[in-house]
Amino acid sequence: MEQPLTLKAIAHLHNDFPTKFGLPRQSGLVENLPATIVFTPEYRNPHALRGLEGFSHIWLIWEFSKARRQGWSPTVRPPRLGGNQRMGVFATRSPFRPNALGLSCVKLEKIERHPEMGPVLHVLGADLMDGTPIFDIKPYLPFVDSHPEASGGFAQERKDHALEVDCPPALLARIPASLQEGLLGVLAQDPRPSYQDDPERIYGFFFSDYEIRFTVEGNLLTVREVLARRG
């Protein structure tokens, strides 16, 4: 009898998203969104990363740690189809899967040699929450991993979806300059659930030490408030 596979977290990702609301729906959609990957003590051996500095992008295999469920369903409702149409779970990237595993391609910005945490990876474009456990890291190989001629199925229809963002300078100035571009990119991707389209409703999500509140009318997203997080 085959022994069951036990997965161990080798690292955790850290960024400015304490909750899933506001996260990019796919990796690479917001290319300049920063994050760090910190290895668990057992895997802080710099020899394990020898040669990785030569790659511009890496694959992350990780867990949807906040989407665990008992059992599974063969069909799910993709948010980008409005949440009303069912598709096969294996035709989607839904977190509700037989095994709650995610796959993301991110840009490797640099490898830091931290005196206490060992090697720390600085990456861009991740679609993971803060604290997400990572099970494996593999280099992205453009000569085999890139397929420009590939078809994108029903997801292809949404690939160019973006909003115009109006963020008053006084509100944007409350955000550290190093985070402003990433935040604007997140807002342009429309953080709302696809089935919600109420121009009077004020939406909000946490980003770094702030709560971002906004409205959307048509193709225009307007930032209404930038508040310091409480607690």
Side-chain angles (χ1 to χ4, degrees), residues 3-226:
Q3 295 295 319
L5 175 64
T6 300
L7 296 178
K8 297 175 62 176
I10 64 166
H12 293 83
L13 181 134
H14 298 285
N15 62 10
D16 295 302
F17 291 94
T19 65
K20 66 179 182 179
F21 193 88
L23 274 174
R25 290 181 172 85
Q26 303 292 339
S27 60
L29 282 179
V30 184
E31 296 179 350
N32 49 14
L33 200 60
T36 58
I37 296 172
V38 178
F39 289 88
T40 59
E42 183 179 356
Y43 298 101
R44 290 178 181 174
N45 189 326
H47 295 302
L49 300 176
R50 185 184 300 165
L52 190 63
E53 68 279 356
F55 295 90
S56 65
H57 292 72
I58 55 177
W59 290 106
L60 306 178
I61 300 173
W62 49 278
E63 180 189 12
F64 288 101
S65 53
K66 301 299 182 182
R68 296 172 182 167
R69 287 185 175 183
Q70 294 294 326
W72 71 289
S73 170
T75 61
V76 295
R77 294 186 173 96
R80 276 307 188 188
L81 292 181
N84 298 315
Q85 188 174 353
R86 284 194 171 273
M87 292 289 177
V89 65
F90 300 130
T92 75
R93 297 189 177 186
S94 167
F96 306 115
R97 326 182 64 78
N99 295 301
L101 297 179
L103 177 67
S104 297
C105 182
V106 298
K107 183 176 182 180
L108 178 60
E109 187 177 28
K110 68 176 181 178
I111 302 175
E112 175 190 1
R113 308 297 180 182
H114 194 278
E116 297 177 359
M117 296 184 292
V120 174
L121 306 185
H122 291 256
V123 300
L124 298 172
D127 56 343
L128 289 67
M129 283 177 52
D130 182 57
T132 295
I134 296 174
F135 294 133
D136 203 2
I137 295 171
K138 299 178 185 290
Y140 175 90
L141 304 178
F143 65 95
V144 290
D145 291 341
S146 177
H147 301 279
E149 76 286 358
S151 59
F154 64 86
Q156 189 75 10
E157 301 173 8
R158 305 293 297 194
K159 72 179 181 69
D160 295 324
H161 177 77
L163 298 177
E164 179 183 351
V165 178
D166 177 18
C167 184
L171 294 182
L172 186 61
R174 298 180 185 178
I175 304 294
S178 61
L179 300 178
Q180 291 177 8
E181 190 175 356
L183 173 61
L184 294 176
V186 167
L187 293 170
Q189 290 298 319
D190 193 353
R192 300 174 301 162
S194 294
Y195 53 85
Q196 294 184 4
D197 188 18
D198 181 356
E200 302 297 324
R201 179 169 178 171
I202 297 179
Y203 301 88
F205 66 92
F206 294 115
F207 179 77
S208 185
D209 295 324
Y210 307 91
E211 182 179 3
I212 313 300
R213 295 183 177 178
F214 63 93
T215 58
V216 179
E217 183 171 4
N219 199 49
L220 176 65
L221 182 150
T222 303
V223 177
R224 300 297 181 182
E225 293 181 292
V226 175

